[in-house]
Amino acid sequence: MPRAPNPCTYLPRRLQIVASLTAFVLFCILFLGSSGTADSDSYINNVPYGPQIQQGAHQVVDHLPKLPKDLPHVNAPQWLNPFRGPAHKPPEQANSSSGEARWYTDFKWRNPFSSDTTLDEERAVLPPLAERAAIYTYFESTGKDEKSKTAEQQLLQIWRRAWWAQGFRPVVLGKPEAMNNPLFRAVQGLELEPEMDKEMMRWLAWGNMGTGVLSNWLAVPMAAHDDALLAFLRRGEYPSLTRYEGLDNGLFVGNREDIDKAIKQAIASPAMKRVKSMAEAVTAETFTVDPEHSAIAFYSTSTITGKYNLIRNKLDKPSTAGEGLAMLPTLINSHLHMTWQNIFSSGIAVLKPLPEHTTTLIEPAIDIARNLSQCPDTPIPASCPPNRPRCKPCVSSQMLITVPPVFRNTSTLFTIATVPHPYTLTSLLHSRLEPNAKFIRRETDRDSWVLAATKELLGTGLSSFSRLPALKDIIASEYGSARTLWLVGEMPPSRESEMDLEGLDWHFGFTLPRSPMSDGKSETPVPGPERRPPPPKSEFGEGPPLSEQELSHERSLLEQAKMVLRRSTGSRKGKTGAKSFAFMREVVEAWSLADTECWKFVRAWEARRRVERRGWEGEEERFQGKGMFGRWIDKVT
Ligand SMILES: *[C@@H]1O[C@H](CO)[C@@H](O)[C@H](O)[C@H]1NC(C)=O
Ligand SMILES: *[C@@H]1O[C@H](CO)[C@@H](O)[C@H](O)[C@H]1NC(C)=O
Ligand SMILES: *[C@@H]1O[C@H](CO)[C@@H](O)[C@H](O)[C@H]1NC(C)=O
């Protein structure tokens, strides 16, 4: 009988079970019996420390593994959890570091502690990088004089920057792409109107790339990040070939098959030699027309003629055409800036938790906020972008800057936050530069920054650890990242190289004003009150303003804390003298786990943004040749 159990198999099976149970119990006894002490021992042994703080270190380590009671055990960082067996760290991902900052991309990024996922104290978990939808433009220089050529290059740069800031991957195409399209030969034989010839080249170049958005390089996005059209374009899937009412040939979207079909249909059309645009050359069903949209500002000839007389008058005469074109970059940049200012109608908040001691810490953030709130330089004051006729021009009433001590989740408020490393914060709060272990444990509060910054958002009842998911959401979610800029207290962009000021421009999508008044270079009238706005007053809780002496004391504490943090990383490279710095840093980090996590998260977040952009620029450079825009200019015949 096949179903009857064979008595002979019982014995070995039972023996197996007994044997594995025994092995398991033995393993548990061995593992649990030794791991508790072994773990903290190895912690002590691995930490480099100077003899003068050795005693304190033992005490700190004795106390550290006690976690706040309301915290579930799984949330503890890996090294605090003695019951966790050794495990392999997840592999390094490509291009996942920059300087000190390292990161790992994972869907678990909202978990309070990155090290639960990365098993590595230095690697922060960031959300997956959003895929950027490709947006193409076709460029052939038509500029006759130097002025026009320079203006064209500036306009292309404005186009790239504005689309990049809205989450796209802008690509400038030229004749080589059009010629690479198999349909190019079929078009060559046709004798087309000059406008249609150019339009065909654009389409061939676009068809060569495939599915995506085709934009004129004078069409830029001027709308909030979550505008419906921009959100649709960012998705990167275009079910039908679409054009947009009122934008002429400013913007098309479509997939590869539909683009090819439209080109073939146009080539076969008997009307081809007479028409001047794609819409006329193909049947009406070829395009879906979107009548409702307001996100794209297209500076077409007809728009300029209708709205910007000053520029039109110059463009009309050949002798001043270059001058007219040269005004356009400044005008478009001012409109981009003004649109941003209009979107954030509640103004700019420079976050300043613990206001008594962090005045110098937020100076770079104040600098950025003042420049952002300044009225942009413009050749036509009080003019509005083509797509926003009811804008509020920035003439004399500048944007409001506030300095609240807590983060506010208001959709029309832009927040600039500066996160200090807990070592820096401890130095500033206690005017002490060598916080020893005993002092840290007895005299300082844990996670002061995170607790203070989220006091209003999350109330006062939560532990600092359970505030981290909401904080990470503010920094890195789609909603939060469009309304905030996060800086690390120790390496603000304005103290770095020229490159990082430029990084800000790519973040916002326009050039920030960098001079208090108009530089006098433009030949156009400049409105009077363009002076830089004064630094704002702190909202409350600050008491009398700091004296010069107190400020300079704070500044020197900040500079020294930066120095300690820089030096502390030397110990990994074996530098002598770095050990005691590294030890101090580790003690403070272990004491303020949530503040440390937040700092490392912001550091990695900003670093990844830089790496992404530079990687893309590097890729694009291959096509741009040495002289940046030489490729397109050379190929013009
Ligand atoms: C902030 O507000 C938005 C919109 O009201 C909401 O979706 C988001 O969850 C809020 N963020 C936090 C951290 O509360
Ligand atoms: C802000 O403008 C000032 C001059 O007014 C300039 O020195 C500074 O570099 C600018 N900062 C940023 C971040 O653009
Ligand atoms: C990493 O960066 C290099 C150069 O910056 C680039 O060539 C490479 O494609 C990047 N790798 C990935 C996976 O993005």
Side-chain angles (χ1 to χ4, degrees):
M1 306 216 71
R3 293 267 178 94
N6 176 0
C8 289
T9 57
Y10 272 102
L11 202 61
R13 174 84 50 92
R14 274 200 193 137
L15 270 181
Q16 260 175 18
I17 293 172
V18 169
S20 45
L21 272 179
T22 315
F24 178 69
V25 169
L26 272 178
F27 175 77
C28 282
I29 291 170
L30 278 176
F31 176 71
L32 294 185
S34 66
S35 74
T37 47
D39 224 73
S40 43
D41 274 352
S42 73
Y43 178 63
I44 293 171
N45 290 338
N46 286 342
V47 169
Y49 50 84
Q52 82 278 19
I53 26 190
Q54 187 168 353
Q55 199 192 350
H58 282 280
Q59 284 166 0
V60 165
V61 170
D62 283 343
H63 281 256
L64 278 177
K66 285 186 193 137
L67 294 167
K69 286 188 192 67
D70 53 348
L71 185 81
H73 214 55
V74 284
N75 282 345
Q78 179 257 340
W79 60 264
L80 276 183
N81 186 345
F83 296 105
R84 190 155 182 162
H88 290 291
K89 296 176 181 182
E92 296 278 336
Q93 295 161 331
N95 297 345
S96 65
S97 68
S98 167
E100 289 276 293
R102 292 193 296 132
W103 58 90
Y104 179 75
T105 294
D106 197 277
F107 284 101
K108 285 181 274 184
W109 63 276
R110 279 192 180 86
N111 283 358
F113 289 103
S114 298
S115 54
D116 281 344
T117 305
T118 60
L119 310 186
D120 180 345
E121 285 305 315
E122 292 300 317
R123 242 194 312 172
V125 178
L126 296 182
L129 200 56
E131 178 92 16
R132 286 173 176 266
I135 180 161
Y136 304 106
T137 195
Y138 182 83
F139 177 76
E140 267 184 54
S141 175
T142 51
K144 302 210 170 42
D145 49 65
E146 273 313 305
K147 244 188 197 153
S148 313
K149 281 187 180 155
T150 313
E152 280 176 345
Q153 291 171 20
Q154 289 170 345
L155 289 166
L156 272 183
Q157 196 68 353
I158 285 175
W159 179 85
R160 295 167 80 225
R161 206 162 37 211
W163 284 102
W164 177 265
Q166 290 283 11
F168 294 85
R169 187 166 50 84
V171 182
V172 180
L173 306 176
K175 232 174 177 167
E177 281 85 10
M179 286 158 74
N180 202 35
N181 193 321
L183 295 169
F184 178 71
R185 286 183 178 283
V187 176
Q188 252 189 335
L190 306 170
E191 281 161 20
L192 303 176
E193 296 275 342
E195 286 98 331
M196 192 59 203
D197 193 44
K198 193 156 171 226
E199 190 65 10
M200 247 4 250
M201 292 299 279
R202 293 178 70 209
W203 276 72
L204 287 170
W206 183 27
N208 181 58
M209 305 306 289
T211 305
V213 184
L214 177 67
S215 159
N216 190 296
W217 46 276
L218 289 172
V220 287
M222 288 193 197
H225 184 82
D226 42 18
D227 174 271
L229 175 61
L230 294 182
F232 164 72
L233 294 179
R234 264 196 300 270
R235 241 170 278 146
E237 281 166 29
Y238 315 111
S240 64
L241 196 62
T242 308
R243 64 188 176 83
Y244 293 85
E245 201 164 293
L247 289 185
D248 300 326
N249 65 358
L251 193 77
F252 299 105
V253 306
N255 60 44
R256 183 186 287 275
E257 293 79 49
D258 288 342
I259 301 168
D260 275 354
K261 240 190 267 168
I263 297 175
K264 282 181 189 152
Q265 203 191 48
I267 293 172
S269 157
M272 189 62 173
K273 289 190 180 148
R274 284 178 280 114
V275 300
K276 295 190 173 166
S277 75
M278 261 321 253
E280 292 171 279
V282 297
T283 56
E285 305 85 65
T286 311
F287 283 109
T288 310
V289 183
D290 182 350
E292 290 276 347
H293 59 89
S294 61
I296 312 293
F298 183 25
Y299 294 80
S300 62
T301 313
S302 60
T303 307
I304 293 174
T305 309
K307 287 193 181 242
Y308 310 114
N309 273 328
L310 183 73
I311 295 184
R312 185 209 40 206
N313 294 344
K314 299 221 168 186
L315 286 177
D316 277 351
K317 287 186 232 105
S319 60
T320 55
E323 239 172 74
L325 197 61
M327 285 178 180
L328 211 45
T330 325
L331 182 75
I332 298 181
N333 192 66
S334 78
H335 286 168
L336 282 162
H337 189 168
M338 187 176 70
T339 304
W340 184 88
Q341 293 182 332
N342 284 185
I343 290 166
F344 295 103
S345 52
S346 308
I348 306 172
V350 179
L351 193 57
K352 191 184 186 186
L354 312 162
E356 291 88 351
H357 303 282
T358 50
T359 304
T360 43
L361 185 72
I362 64 157
E363 268 172 4
I366 295 274
D367 184 48
I368 297 172
R370 287 172 69 190
N371 292 15
L372 278 170
S373 70
Q374 195 178 329
C375 288
D377 198 3
T378 169
I380 312 180
S383 64
C384 279
N387 62 326
R388 305 174 73 92
R390 280 191 300 277
C391 74
K392 255 183 40 211
C394 180
V395 179
S396 54
S397 67
Q398 279 144 345
M399 238 180 145
L400 183 69
I401 305 178
T402 52
V403 188
V406 290
F407 177 82
R408 299 206 167 105
N409 192 17
T410 312
S411 67
T412 51
L413 182 69
F414 190 87
T415 301
I416 305 178
T418 314
V419 185
H421 187 275
Y423 181 85
T424 310
L425 192 65
T426 307
S427 308
L428 290 175
L429 291 185
H430 299 278
S431 289
R432 271 184 86 143
L433 271 160
E434 287 187 35
N436 62 43
K438 204 183 211 164
F439 171 77
I440 293 292
R441 193 161 45 81
R442 298 235 170 109
E443 308 290 331
T444 71
D445 295 327
R446 281 183 164 175
D447 299 326
S448 338
W449 196 89
V450 164
L451 288 169
T454 58
K455 207 191 300 176
E456 189 179 283
L457 187 74
L458 302 172
T460 48
L462 284 179
S463 78
S464 54
F465 294 5
S466 31
R467 283 163 200 263
L468 284 171
L471 204 53
K472 288 184 176 183
D473 197 79
I474 295 166
I475 300 167
S477 68
E478 178 125 17
Y479 178 90
S481 62
R483 289 168 177 80
T484 53
L485 175 70
W486 291 77
L487 310 172
V488 166
E490 292 75 18
M491 35 182 162
S494 61
R495 299 282 160 82
E496 277 200 346
S497 57
E498 194 71 23
M499 273 309 281
D500 282 284
L501 282 183
E502 208 194 303
L504 276 181
D505 294 350
W506 285 84
H507 179 85
F508 288 104
F510 50 83
T511 316
L512 270 65
R514 298 256 154 68
S515 52
M517 295 203 234
S518 179
D519 54 8
K521 265 189 285 176
S522 70
E523 304 89 281
T524 50
V526 166
E530 260 197 344
R531 219 160 282 130
R532 200 162 178 243
K537 298 261 178 297
S538 210
E539 210 170 284
F540 50 79
E542 200 176 17
L546 297 186
S547 67
E548 257 321 301
Q549 203 187 352
E550 286 165 316
L551 271 181
S552 77
H553 178 60
E554 214 182 276
R555 197 161 287 132
S556 77
L557 284 172
L558 180 60
E559 288 308 318
Q560 290 186 53
K562 285 185 195 175
M563 189 272 295
V564 168
L565 288 175
R566 261 202 316 276
R567 293 252 189 107
S568 69
T569 60
S571 72
R572 272 176 237 131
K573 297 168 197 142
K575 288 210 183 107
T576 51
K579 277 195 169 185
S580 66
F581 288 131
F583 177 71
M584 284 200 285
R585 176 180 179 161
E586 270 182 52
V587 167
V588 179
E589 287 188 355
W591 183 245
S592 281
L593 289 172
D595 274 9
T596 307
E597 178 72 21
C598 183
W599 185 80
K600 286 179 179 165
F601 188 82
V602 167
R603 181 179 65 167
W605 174 248
E606 287 303 318
R608 187 176 72 169
R609 214 204 295 271
R610 275 200 302 276
V611 166
E612 187 195 12
R613 186 177 64 79
R614 287 183 187 163
W616 166 73
E617 294 237 292
E619 251 170 65
E620 284 290 288
E621 242 164 50
R622 278 193 298 138
F623 297 98
Q624 290 173 352
K626 272 254 156 70
M628 190 69 174
F629 293 92
R631 170 174 175 255
W632 303 303
I633 291 164
D634 291 345
K635 293 286 182 328
V636 174
T637 45

PDB file of all heavy atoms in Angstrom, residues 364 367-372 374 493-494 500-501 504-505 512-517 532, ligand 2:
ATOM      1  N   PRO A 364      24.118  81.272   6.617  1.00  0.00           N
ATOM      2  CA  PRO A 364      24.036  80.952   5.180  1.00  0.00           C
ATOM      3  C   PRO A 364      22.591  80.825   4.695  1.00  0.00           C
ATOM      4  O   PRO A 364      22.273  81.239   3.580  1.00  0.00           O
ATOM      5  CB  PRO A 364      24.762  79.611   5.066  1.00  0.00           C
ATOM      6  CG  PRO A 364      25.607  79.525   6.286  1.00  0.00           C
ATOM      7  CD  PRO A 364      24.881  80.266   7.363  1.00  0.00           C
ATOM      8  N   ASP A 367      21.189  84.196   4.168  1.00  0.00           N
ATOM      9  CA  ASP A 367      21.748  84.768   2.945  1.00  0.00           C
ATOM     10  C   ASP A 367      20.961  84.300   1.721  1.00  0.00           C
ATOM     11  O   ASP A 367      20.567  85.102   0.863  1.00  0.00           O
ATOM     12  CB  ASP A 367      23.222  84.348   2.843  1.00  0.00           C
ATOM     13  CG  ASP A 367      23.919  84.982   1.659  1.00  0.00           C
ATOM     14  OD1 ASP A 367      23.778  86.207   1.498  1.00  0.00           O
ATOM     15  OD2 ASP A 367      24.579  84.260   0.897  1.00  0.00           O
ATOM     16  N   ILE A 368      20.701  82.997   1.662  1.00  0.00           N
ATOM     17  CA  ILE A 368      19.942  82.459   0.533  1.00  0.00           C
ATOM     18  C   ILE A 368      18.524  83.042   0.527  1.00  0.00           C
ATOM     19  O   ILE A 368      18.003  83.445  -0.516  1.00  0.00           O
ATOM     20  CB  ILE A 368      19.885  80.917   0.606  1.00  0.00           C
ATOM     21  CG1 ILE A 368      21.287  80.341   0.479  1.00  0.00           C
ATOM     22  CG2 ILE A 368      18.978  80.356  -0.483  1.00  0.00           C
ATOM     23  CD1 ILE A 368      21.361  78.857   0.729  1.00  0.00           C
ATOM     24  N   ALA A 369      17.905  83.114   1.714  1.00  0.00           N
ATOM     25  CA  ALA A 369      16.528  83.617   1.792  1.00  0.00           C
ATOM     26  C   ALA A 369      16.454  85.068   1.328  1.00  0.00           C
ATOM     27  O   ALA A 369      15.522  85.452   0.615  1.00  0.00           O
ATOM     28  CB  ALA A 369      16.015  83.497   3.227  1.00  0.00           C
ATOM     29  N   ARG A 370      17.435  85.881   1.724  1.00  0.00           N
ATOM     30  CA  ARG A 370      17.407  87.288   1.304  1.00  0.00           C
ATOM     31  C   ARG A 370      17.528  87.405  -0.208  1.00  0.00           C
ATOM     32  O   ARG A 370      16.830  88.196  -0.841  1.00  0.00           O
ATOM     33  CB  ARG A 370      18.533  88.054   1.990  1.00  0.00           C
ATOM     34  CG  ARG A 370      18.251  88.302   3.468  1.00  0.00           C
ATOM     35  CD  ARG A 370      19.447  88.895   4.163  1.00  0.00           C
ATOM     36  NE  ARG A 370      19.729  90.266   3.743  1.00  0.00           N
ATOM     37  CZ  ARG A 370      20.845  90.918   4.071  1.00  0.00           C
ATOM     38  NH1 ARG A 370      21.771  90.338   4.806  1.00  0.00           N
ATOM     39  NH2 ARG A 370      21.030  92.154   3.668  1.00  0.00           N
ATOM     40  N   ASN A 371      18.430  86.597  -0.788  1.00  0.00           N
ATOM     41  CA  ASN A 371      18.577  86.675  -2.246  1.00  0.00           C
ATOM     42  C   ASN A 371      17.311  86.195  -2.958  1.00  0.00           C
ATOM     43  O   ASN A 371      16.922  86.751  -3.973  1.00  0.00           O
ATOM     44  CB  ASN A 371      19.776  85.845  -2.703  1.00  0.00           C
ATOM     45  CG  ASN A 371      21.094  86.453  -2.236  1.00  0.00           C
ATOM     46  OD1 ASN A 371      21.093  87.314  -1.361  1.00  0.00           O
ATOM     47  ND2 ASN A 371      22.187  86.006  -2.798  1.00  0.00           N
ATOM     48  N   LEU A 372      16.683  85.164  -2.391  1.00  0.00           N
ATOM     49  CA  LEU A 372      15.457  84.649  -3.019  1.00  0.00           C
ATOM     50  C   LEU A 372      14.319  85.654  -2.938  1.00  0.00           C
ATOM     51  O   LEU A 372      13.463  85.716  -3.821  1.00  0.00           O
ATOM     52  CB  LEU A 372      15.017  83.360  -2.321  1.00  0.00           C
ATOM     53  CG  LEU A 372      15.702  82.071  -2.738  1.00  0.00           C
ATOM     54  CD1 LEU A 372      15.316  80.952  -1.791  1.00  0.00           C
ATOM     55  CD2 LEU A 372      15.341  81.689  -4.161  1.00  0.00           C
ATOM     56  N   GLN A 374      14.584  88.854  -2.918  1.00  0.00           N
ATOM     57  CA  GLN A 374      14.896  90.078  -3.649  1.00  0.00           C
ATOM     58  C   GLN A 374      14.153  90.118  -4.982  1.00  0.00           C
ATOM     59  O   GLN A 374      13.890  89.081  -5.584  1.00  0.00           O
ATOM     60  CB  GLN A 374      16.405  90.073  -3.913  1.00  0.00           C
ATOM     61  CG  GLN A 374      16.985  91.371  -4.325  1.00  0.00           C
ATOM     62  CD  GLN A 374      18.496  91.229  -4.498  1.00  0.00           C
ATOM     63  OE1 GLN A 374      19.142  90.438  -3.821  1.00  0.00           O
ATOM     64  NE2 GLN A 374      19.047  91.989  -5.424  1.00  0.00           N
ATOM     65  N   PRO A 493      26.332  75.619   1.379  1.00  0.00           N
ATOM     66  CA  PRO A 493      26.771  75.825   0.009  1.00  0.00           C
ATOM     67  C   PRO A 493      27.495  77.142  -0.216  1.00  0.00           C
ATOM     68  O   PRO A 493      28.432  77.208  -0.989  1.00  0.00           O
ATOM     69  CB  PRO A 493      25.473  75.780  -0.800  1.00  0.00           C
ATOM     70  CG  PRO A 493      24.375  75.806   0.176  1.00  0.00           C
ATOM     71  CD  PRO A 493      24.898  75.382   1.483  1.00  0.00           C
ATOM     72  N   SER A 494      27.066  78.183   0.512  1.00  0.00           N
ATOM     73  CA  SER A 494      27.669  79.474   0.206  1.00  0.00           C
ATOM     74  C   SER A 494      29.130  79.551   0.659  1.00  0.00           C
ATOM     75  O   SER A 494      29.863  80.425   0.230  1.00  0.00           O
ATOM     76  CB  SER A 494      26.873  80.598   0.857  1.00  0.00           C
ATOM     77  OG  SER A 494      26.893  80.426   2.246  1.00  0.00           O
ATOM     78  N   ASP A 500      28.760  75.368  -6.106  1.00  0.00           N
ATOM     79  CA  ASP A 500      27.598  75.086  -5.286  1.00  0.00           C
ATOM     80  C   ASP A 500      26.576  76.201  -5.309  1.00  0.00           C
ATOM     81  O   ASP A 500      25.392  75.958  -5.121  1.00  0.00           O
ATOM     82  CB  ASP A 500      28.029  74.745  -3.879  1.00  0.00           C
ATOM     83  CG  ASP A 500      28.534  73.322  -3.862  1.00  0.00           C
ATOM     84  OD1 ASP A 500      27.701  72.409  -3.893  1.00  0.00           O
ATOM     85  OD2 ASP A 500      29.756  73.154  -3.895  1.00  0.00           O
ATOM     86  N   LEU A 501      27.032  77.418  -5.554  1.00  0.00           N
ATOM     87  CA  LEU A 501      26.063  78.487  -5.795  1.00  0.00           C
ATOM     88  C   LEU A 501      25.281  78.140  -7.045  1.00  0.00           C
ATOM     89  O   LEU A 501      24.074  78.308  -7.115  1.00  0.00           O
ATOM     90  CB  LEU A 501      26.776  79.823  -5.989  1.00  0.00           C
ATOM     91  CG  LEU A 501      27.274  80.517  -4.714  1.00  0.00           C
ATOM     92  CD1 LEU A 501      27.885  81.850  -5.070  1.00  0.00           C
ATOM     93  CD2 LEU A 501      26.138  80.695  -3.733  1.00  0.00           C
ATOM     94  N   LEU A 504      22.542  75.718  -6.441  1.00  0.00           N
ATOM     95  CA  LEU A 504      21.292  76.325  -5.974  1.00  0.00           C
ATOM     96  C   LEU A 504      20.432  76.748  -7.156  1.00  0.00           C
ATOM     97  O   LEU A 504      19.219  76.564  -7.161  1.00  0.00           O
ATOM     98  CB  LEU A 504      21.587  77.555  -5.117  1.00  0.00           C
ATOM     99  CG  LEU A 504      21.886  77.334  -3.649  1.00  0.00           C
ATOM    100  CD1 LEU A 504      22.121  78.672  -2.979  1.00  0.00           C
ATOM    101  CD2 LEU A 504      20.756  76.593  -2.968  1.00  0.00           C
ATOM    102  N   ASP A 505      21.067  77.334  -8.171  1.00  0.00           N
ATOM    103  CA  ASP A 505      20.316  77.747  -9.363  1.00  0.00           C
ATOM    104  C   ASP A 505      19.609  76.556  -9.997  1.00  0.00           C
ATOM    105  O   ASP A 505      18.468  76.670 -10.449  1.00  0.00           O
ATOM    106  CB  ASP A 505      21.250  78.374 -10.399  1.00  0.00           C
ATOM    107  CG  ASP A 505      21.841  79.687  -9.916  1.00  0.00           C
ATOM    108  OD1 ASP A 505      21.378  80.180  -8.872  1.00  0.00           O
ATOM    109  OD2 ASP A 505      22.761  80.200 -10.558  1.00  0.00           O
ATOM    110  N   LEU A 512      19.733  82.923  -9.013  1.00  0.00           N
ATOM    111  CA  LEU A 512      19.449  83.792  -7.873  1.00  0.00           C
ATOM    112  C   LEU A 512      20.189  85.111  -8.041  1.00  0.00           C
ATOM    113  O   LEU A 512      21.314  85.121  -8.540  1.00  0.00           O
ATOM    114  CB  LEU A 512      19.929  83.136  -6.575  1.00  0.00           C
ATOM    115  CG  LEU A 512      18.943  82.249  -5.834  1.00  0.00           C
ATOM    116  CD1 LEU A 512      18.590  81.028  -6.635  1.00  0.00           C
ATOM    117  CD2 LEU A 512      19.538  81.838  -4.491  1.00  0.00           C
ATOM    118  N   PRO A 513      19.580  86.221  -7.624  1.00  0.00           N
ATOM    119  CA  PRO A 513      20.307  87.487  -7.685  1.00  0.00           C
ATOM    120  C   PRO A 513      21.551  87.403  -6.799  1.00  0.00           C
ATOM    121  O   PRO A 513      21.472  86.929  -5.669  1.00  0.00           O
ATOM    122  CB  PRO A 513      19.320  88.509  -7.115  1.00  0.00           C
ATOM    123  CG  PRO A 513      17.997  87.835  -7.098  1.00  0.00           C
ATOM    124  CD  PRO A 513      18.242  86.376  -7.052  1.00  0.00           C
ATOM    125  N   ARG A 514      22.681  87.829  -7.327  1.00  0.00           N
ATOM    126  CA  ARG A 514      23.915  87.728  -6.567  1.00  0.00           C
ATOM    127  C   ARG A 514      24.516  89.087  -6.286  1.00  0.00           C
ATOM    128  O   ARG A 514      25.570  89.188  -5.695  1.00  0.00           O
ATOM    129  CB  ARG A 514      24.971  86.916  -7.343  1.00  0.00           C
ATOM    130  CG  ARG A 514      24.592  85.516  -7.617  1.00  0.00           C
ATOM    131  CD  ARG A 514      25.299  84.538  -6.711  1.00  0.00           C
ATOM    132  NE  ARG A 514      24.494  83.335  -6.574  1.00  0.00           N
ATOM    133  CZ  ARG A 514      24.271  82.475  -7.570  1.00  0.00           C
ATOM    134  NH1 ARG A 514      24.821  82.654  -8.734  1.00  0.00           N
ATOM    135  NH2 ARG A 514      23.509  81.432  -7.377  1.00  0.00           N
ATOM    136  N   SER A 515      23.849  90.136  -6.760  1.00  0.00           N
ATOM    137  CA  SER A 515      24.399  91.452  -6.449  1.00  0.00           C
ATOM    138  C   SER A 515      23.271  92.275  -5.842  1.00  0.00           C
ATOM    139  O   SER A 515      22.117  92.149  -6.248  1.00  0.00           O
ATOM    140  CB  SER A 515      24.926  92.115  -7.713  1.00  0.00           C
ATOM    141  OG  SER A 515      23.918  92.098  -8.693  1.00  0.00           O
ATOM    142  N   PRO A 516      23.612  93.104  -4.835  1.00  0.00           N
ATOM    143  CA  PRO A 516      22.573  93.848  -4.128  1.00  0.00           C
ATOM    144  C   PRO A 516      21.774  94.740  -5.055  1.00  0.00           C
ATOM    145  O   PRO A 516      20.588  94.895  -4.904  1.00  0.00           O
ATOM    146  CB  PRO A 516      23.342  94.664  -3.107  1.00  0.00           C
ATOM    147  CG  PRO A 516      24.752  94.230  -3.173  1.00  0.00           C
ATOM    148  CD  PRO A 516      24.941  93.364  -4.362  1.00  0.00           C
ATOM    149  N   MET A 517      22.447  95.346  -6.034  1.00  0.00           N
ATOM    150  CA  MET A 517      21.708  96.185  -6.973  1.00  0.00           C
ATOM    151  C   MET A 517      22.025  95.744  -8.381  1.00  0.00           C
ATOM    152  O   MET A 517      22.894  94.927  -8.608  1.00  0.00           O
ATOM    153  CB  MET A 517      22.105  97.638  -6.784  1.00  0.00           C
ATOM    154  CG  MET A 517      21.669  98.123  -5.413  1.00  0.00           C
ATOM    155  SD  MET A 517      21.492  99.858  -5.357  1.00  0.00           S
ATOM    156  CE  MET A 517      22.541 100.245  -3.971  1.00  0.00           C
ATOM    157  N   ARG A 532      18.784  95.119  -1.657  1.00  0.00           N
ATOM    158  CA  ARG A 532      18.621  93.811  -1.033  1.00  0.00           C
ATOM    159  C   ARG A 532      17.815  93.970   0.259  1.00  0.00           C
ATOM    160  O   ARG A 532      18.041  94.898   1.026  1.00  0.00           O
ATOM    161  CB  ARG A 532      20.004  93.279  -0.713  1.00  0.00           C
ATOM    162  CG  ARG A 532      20.069  91.809  -0.509  1.00  0.00           C
ATOM    163  CD  ARG A 532      21.518  91.360  -0.648  1.00  0.00           C
ATOM    164  NE  ARG A 532      21.581  89.930  -0.409  1.00  0.00           N
ATOM    165  CZ  ARG A 532      22.251  89.390   0.587  1.00  0.00           C
ATOM    166  NH1 ARG A 532      22.922  90.153   1.419  1.00  0.00           N
ATOM    167  NH2 ARG A 532      22.264  88.097   0.753  1.00  0.00           N
TER     168      ARG A 532
HETATM  169  C1  LIG B   2      23.462  86.549  -2.184  1.00  0.00           C
HETATM  170  O1  LIG B   2      23.783  87.852  -2.632  1.00  0.00           O
HETATM  171  C2  LIG B   2      25.018  88.354  -2.165  1.00  0.00           C
HETATM  172  C3  LIG B   2      25.173  89.755  -2.688  1.00  0.00           C
HETATM  173  O2  LIG B   2      24.030  90.506  -2.529  1.00  0.00           O
HETATM  174  C4  LIG B   2      26.147  87.481  -2.651  1.00  0.00           C
HETATM  175  O3  LIG B   2      27.376  87.942  -2.124  1.00  0.00           O
HETATM  176  C5  LIG B   2      25.915  86.045  -2.177  1.00  0.00           C
HETATM  177  O4  LIG B   2      26.902  85.207  -2.730  1.00  0.00           O
HETATM  178  C6  LIG B   2      24.549  85.567  -2.607  1.00  0.00           C
HETATM  179  N1  LIG B   2      24.313  84.270  -2.039  1.00  0.00           N
HETATM  180  C7  LIG B   2      23.683  83.293  -2.685  1.00  0.00           C
HETATM  181  C8  LIG B   2      23.539  82.007  -1.959  1.00  0.00           C
HETATM  182  O5  LIG B   2      23.248  83.418  -3.805  1.00  0.00           O
END
